[in-house]
Amino acid sequence: MTYRVQKGFVYLVGAGPGDPGLLSIKAKSILEQADVVIYDNLVNQKVLNWLKPEARSIFVGKSSGQHSIPQAEINALLIEEAQNDVSIVRLKGGDPLVFGRAGEEVDALDSEGIHYEIVPGITAAIACAAYAGIQISQRDISSSIIFLTGHENPEKTSLNLDFKEFAKSNSTLCIYMGIGQLKRIVGELLEGGLKQDTPVAIVENGTYVKQRSCFSTLGQIIPDSEAMEIKSPAIVFVGNVVKSRSQYNWFEEKPLFGKKILVPRPRKQAGELSQLLENYGADVLEVPFIEIEEDYDRDSITNVFTDIASYEWIVFTSANGVDLFFDLLDKAYEDVRSIGLSQIATVGKATARAVRSHKLKVSLIPETANSNALAEALIEHQTLDNVKILLVTGDKNSDILFKRLQDEGRAIVDRLPLYKNVRTDLSKNENFERFKEEGADLVLFTSSSTVHNYISATQSLELSDSIKPKFGSIGVKTSESLRKHNLPVAFESPKANLENFVVETLSYFRNPNQ
Ligand code: SAH
């Protein structure tokens, strides 16, 4: 479902508590079309990846060491941008109207006659309870839920609540912004009549893979949360439902929960592996050490395309090559049938999937995903004597394949390089910054080239032993590259595909010392 956004409109959108899967379909659709996005601290920046490339994003939250921007300035910015006749998203953590000061922004827009829409989001209390396994209401235990704020509002303009009043309510109390005020809150709840053994839980960074929860009682929560060094953002839950925490802590007990895994792949290719790992709760750091850049010679394209149907085989060595090839073919002929009866071979399953997405059949995929195996499979498949083969590649890794098909197979091989790998500027890459500071549990290498790129970008880093990563390899060739550079292989996937690689990663973490 797509919602059309309008120019000169402001969309006050709830970004949910953190997990990007918790935004509404409407919120995502609006973000994808927005011209300007004004966002603050609690928004998970991953959702900004959905913006169109030309969209502007403006951060108005509090960054480390700086004060947050006063509300009046944010209101003025919204009005100014709206007058530029663009579509503006004011993106706020959780629900925009729950302790989010969106009310003041709405008033400012009203006073200027600017039109807006409000898109609710999942508020932190609801999400944190669910992700910590707290049944926020339960028929026999608590039939009311109260959202409260501890008011550690940076501008300290609001009055503090008196928590004594809520001690008698027999409700589930969900306290936002309560960490800085915890002693006072706990004191008032006890004074108000709640017992020392009333169950309390604090959920920090709820729904993020760094979520932590501290389950305790009113009498013990101060030392317990201090021992865990619980910090904001966190929700404090008070009430008997906290005790009913389900046995199965579904989120924090995911098999890769909180494991920091570096995926050193170009952005477009990293997605599938990252998604698989994130499903298991991993904290994935995608670092595109290299990016794919289109790079081809127009004359060679013309030569190859003029005779495209004369190739008996078209061989692809990467999904990037596939997508670029079919884009160019479409521009030239507007008809995929122009490849005639050429058969298609790919180096591995991911490349085959890319071909399948163009509704074409792949006739040959070798057992093991590498150039040698592909050459062997083709040579075994049929005599290649004088058979015309088109090899669609990047600027690297096609030499072996080219030579073997030509020399051993005696085929007539034309190479069509379509892209090159370029080093990425990582100076502003947040994930790489995190890696430099925090290290990682594991780096997952999906090819020899990812090994080379990783090494050249990290050789001058000096990570302390406690945060040095271990290395997982997708297959034999990748492991060889790792060993060649004296990087010990912690585990190797028996089959060179992503699904198997993830299965191996899971068993590695179950038993890391094997
Ligand atoms: N509009 C937001 C709340 C803003 S007030 C919402 O609806 O969720 C900011 C407070 O929200 C934080 O101090 C914290 O108490 C809570 N909060 C927001 N995101 C959180 C998260 N991911 N985990 C725990 N608490 C969170």
Side-chain angles (χ1 to χ4, degrees):
M1 197 182 296
T2 310
Y3 293 83
R4 293 231 61 77
V5 307
Q6 296 178 53
K7 303 277 174 198
F9 240 72
V10 175
Y11 295 85
L12 290 139
V13 176
D19 179 344
L22 294 178
L23 269 84
S24 65
I25 294 170
K26 187 168 183 178
K28 181 165 189 257
S29 177
I30 289 172
L31 277 172
E32 283 165 349
Q33 296 171 62
D35 296 313
V36 181
V37 176
I38 301 173
Y39 68 101
D40 40 30
N41 292 73
L42 289 171
V43 171
N44 185 346
Q45 302 209 2
K46 281 193 176 170
V47 306
L48 301 178
N49 291 336
W50 296 334
L51 305 187
K52 359 177 236 202
E54 67 275 21
R56 277 185 296 134
S57 53
I58 306 174
F59 178 68
V60 292
K62 189 174 167 179
S63 45
S64 55
Q66 285 181 321
H67 287 297
S68 52
I69 298 181
Q71 188 60 49
E73 269 181 44
I74 300 177
N75 298 353
L77 179 67
L78 276 175
I79 291 163
E80 188 191 314
E81 290 289 351
Q83 283 161 349
N84 290 335
D85 203 31
V86 289
S87 60
I88 298 142
V89 173
R90 173 67 175 116
L91 190 62
K92 293 174 94 65
D95 180 89
L97 293 170
V98 176
F99 306 135
R101 306 192 71 184
E104 291 157 64
E105 294 173 15
V106 167
D107 290 346
L109 296 173
D110 272 338
S111 69
E112 294 293 321
I114 293 166
H115 289 172
Y116 55 83
E117 270 192 36
I118 304 178
V119 183
I122 299 180
T123 191
I126 298 292
C128 289
Y131 274 54
I134 298 168
Q135 300 158 19
I136 199 165
S137 77
Q138 255 211 18
R139 206 168 51 163
D140 301 328
I141 303 176
S142 159
S143 47
S144 58
I145 303 166
I146 305 183
F147 291 173
L148 301 155
T149 161
H151 279 305
E152 41 178 278
N153 163 0
E155 292 171 38
K156 299 262 190 270
T157 49
S158 330
L159 288 174
N160 285 330
L161 286 178
D162 183 352
F163 283 82
K164 281 198 284 295
E165 286 175 31
F166 298 94
K168 300 228 159 42
S169 64
N170 207 16
S171 314
T172 306
L173 305 182
C174 310
I175 306 165
Y176 290 68
M177 296 182 270
I179 298 304
Q181 305 277 322
L182 197 57
K183 282 196 179 124
R184 177 179 68 84
I185 294 169
V186 167
E188 286 180 9
L189 289 172
L190 288 170
E191 249 179 81
L194 279 185
K195 299 220 165 62
Q196 294 271 346
D197 63 358
T198 308
V200 176
I202 304 185
V203 182
E204 174 196 89
N205 284 313
T207 80
Y208 284 90
V209 287
K210 55 188 174 186
Q211 171 176 311
R212 296 192 304 158
S213 49
C214 173
F215 279 72
S216 180
T217 58
L218 213 45
Q220 279 302 312
I221 190 67
I222 304 281
D224 286 355
S225 62
E226 277 175 4
M228 281 180 72
E229 295 183 29
I230 294 280
K231 294 192 187 66
S232 185
I235 298 275
V236 183
F237 294 97
V238 182
N240 286 321
V241 288
V242 170
K243 205 164 43 187
S244 72
R245 175 184 203 161
S246 36
Q247 291 294 308
Y248 172 45
N249 185 3
W250 70 269
F251 185 57
E252 291 176 32
E253 284 173 17
K254 284 190 172 206
L256 299 180
F257 182 79
K259 299 284 183 231
K260 217 175 293 154
I261 302 181
L262 183 87
V263 173
R265 299 190 98 186
R267 193 157 293 137
K268 214 174 137 203
Q269 294 169 326
E272 199 182 342
L273 179 57
S274 304
Q275 192 60 58
L276 286 166
L277 297 166
E278 278 170 0
N279 287 347
Y280 289 110
D283 183 2
V284 178
L285 300 179
E286 272 179 17
V287 182
F289 291 109
I290 53 154
E291 283 295 354
I292 306 291
E293 213 174 81
E294 288 183 25
D295 185 34
Y296 47 80
D297 172 46
R298 284 192 186 279
D299 291 342
S300 333
I301 301 267
T302 314
N303 287 341
V304 165
F305 278 8
T306 315
D307 250 353
I308 187 80
S310 70
Y311 292 101
E312 212 160 298
W313 285 95
I314 303 181
V315 177
F316 293 100
T317 56
S318 73
N320 288 306
V322 172
D323 292 340
L324 266 167
F325 176 84
F326 285 106
D327 273 357
L328 291 165
L329 191 76
D330 187 56
K331 279 193 196 121
Y333 293 110
E334 294 182 345
D335 188 351
V336 76
R337 284 172 296 182
S338 47
I339 64 167
L341 295 175
S342 312
Q343 299 198 77
I344 296 178
T346 65
V347 69
K349 284 190 185 152
T351 315
R353 269 200 295 278
V355 173
R356 285 292 307 132
S357 73
H358 296 274
K359 302 274 185 288
L360 287 166
K361 187 176 164 187
V362 179
S363 307
L364 190 138
I365 314 171
E367 280 280 316
T368 326
N370 65 50
S371 303
N372 269 321
L374 177 56
E376 255 148 49
L378 272 162
I379 291 166
E380 266 172 36
H381 188 76
Q382 67 177 84
T383 45
L384 295 180
D385 220 354
N386 277 328
V387 165
K388 270 188 87 179
I389 298 179
L390 178 65
L391 197 53
V392 182
T393 62
D395 61 344
K396 287 210 175 102
N397 294 336
S398 68
D399 283 355
I400 299 176
L401 192 53
F402 177 72
K403 284 212 181 78
R404 289 196 65 182
L405 293 176
Q406 197 169 254
D407 300 350
E408 276 172 58
R410 290 199 296 281
I412 303 163
V413 189
D414 286 335
R415 268 202 273 200
L416 187 63
L418 293 182
Y419 60 89
K420 63 178 178 192
N421 298 317
V422 287
R423 289 274 289 274
T424 319
D425 171 16
L426 290 172
S427 58
K428 290 198 182 71
N429 184 295
E430 272 185 34
N431 287 339
F432 193 51
E433 287 304 309
R434 265 189 77 196
F435 178 67
K436 288 201 282 193
E437 266 171 42
E438 304 167 18
D441 296 292
L442 191 66
V443 184
L444 288 183
F445 293 103
T446 48
S447 66
S448 301
S449 64
T450 56
V451 175
H452 297 300
N453 303 326
Y454 172 83
I455 288 167
S456 52
T458 59
Q459 57 200 358
S460 58
L461 283 189
E462 281 181 21
L463 298 177
S464 68
D465 280 347
S466 61
I467 60 168
K468 266 193 190 141
K470 299 278 192 284
F471 305 111
S473 150
I474 198 167
V476 183
K477 293 270 157 212
T478 308
S479 303
E480 273 170 21
S481 301
L482 280 164
R483 289 195 194 97
K484 218 164 38 198
H485 292 94
N486 291 327
L487 299 183
V489 180
F491 67 92
E492 178 185 297
S493 174
K495 283 194 185 158
N497 66 51
L498 295 182
E499 289 75 14
N500 271 282
F501 199 16
V502 172
V503 170
E504 262 333 277
T505 306
L506 290 170
S507 62
Y508 166 74
F509 278 112
R510 265 197 304 275
N511 202 350
N513 300 322
Q514 245 181 13

